[in-house]
Amino acid sequence: MITAGLLAVAFLAQQTSVPPQAHTADEGLVAGILAQQAAVPDIAALHAEAAAAPDPEWSARAEGALTRSYYALPGFAQGIRSFAVTCSSTMCEVAGEIASELAASRTNELTAGLQSPGGEAPPPGFEQVLHHLGAHPDDRASFAFVTYWRRD
């Protein structure tokens, strides 16, 4: 019995004195995964581009087309507290707030539509660059969204 106890103590001492071998990620694997990821657009840069000088002919037509596309979404007029479309000569910014008193099921339906107004295809003449939906910065109980559309 004493022998078994001594063996157990020696075995435990051996296990605690040898640090576990660190596992490192395969750098080639990680680099390959990162290479496949699209670069995340800079929202501040997109906002600045959308706020730049408008195209006198195109910008007003683009703002109208995007506004109609969003208002065609089911429940949009009742579920949106504020909404604005601003177009420069190359980029449009669509921003708004979802009413906090909207029922959860209606909010889910509306937010799904906001991601792709008009269905699967973007509105004609536009390429969607970024869509962001998150908690409103001033009212955590409601949501705010911003979408950037590049002139096609």
Side-chain angles (χ1 to χ4, degrees), residues 98 111 114-115 131-135 143-146:
I98 298 173
T111 57
L114 290 171
Q115 294 175 42
H131 173 76
H132 174 79
L133 171 74
F143 294 100
F145 67 93
V146 62

Side-chain angles (χ1 to χ4, degrees), residues 19-24:
Q21 187 170 4
H23 296 283
T24 57

Side-chain angles (χ1 to χ4, degrees), residues 25 39 54 56 93-94 124 128 132-133 139 143:
E93 175 183 78
V94 177
Q128 189 178 57
H132 174 79
L133 171 74
D139 177 9
F143 294 100

Side-chain angles (χ1 to χ4, degrees), residues 30-128:
V30 173
I33 292 169
L34 292 175
Q36 294 176 11
Q37 301 300 308
V40 177
D42 178 358
I43 293 178
L46 293 172
H47 174 71
E49 185 178 346
D55 176 324
E57 295 178 23
W58 180 81
S59 297
R61 285 194 323 268
E63 289 170 0
L66 286 171
T67 298
R68 286 187 299 278
S69 181
Y70 279 87
Y71 270 92
L73 293 171
F76 184 84
Q78 301 80 23
I80 298 297
R81 184 173 27 193
S82 71
F83 178 73
V85 179
T86 305
C87 294
S88 69
S89 62
T90 60
M91 178 75 66
C92 293
E93 175 183 78
V94 177
E97 303 170 72
I98 298 173
S100 58
E101 61 275 3
L102 197 62
S105 62
R106 303 286 296 172
T107 300
N108 291 340
E109 181 182 347
L110 185 56
T111 57
L114 290 171
Q115 294 175 42
S116 184
E120 294 297 316
F126 298 96
E127 174 192 357
Q128 189 178 57

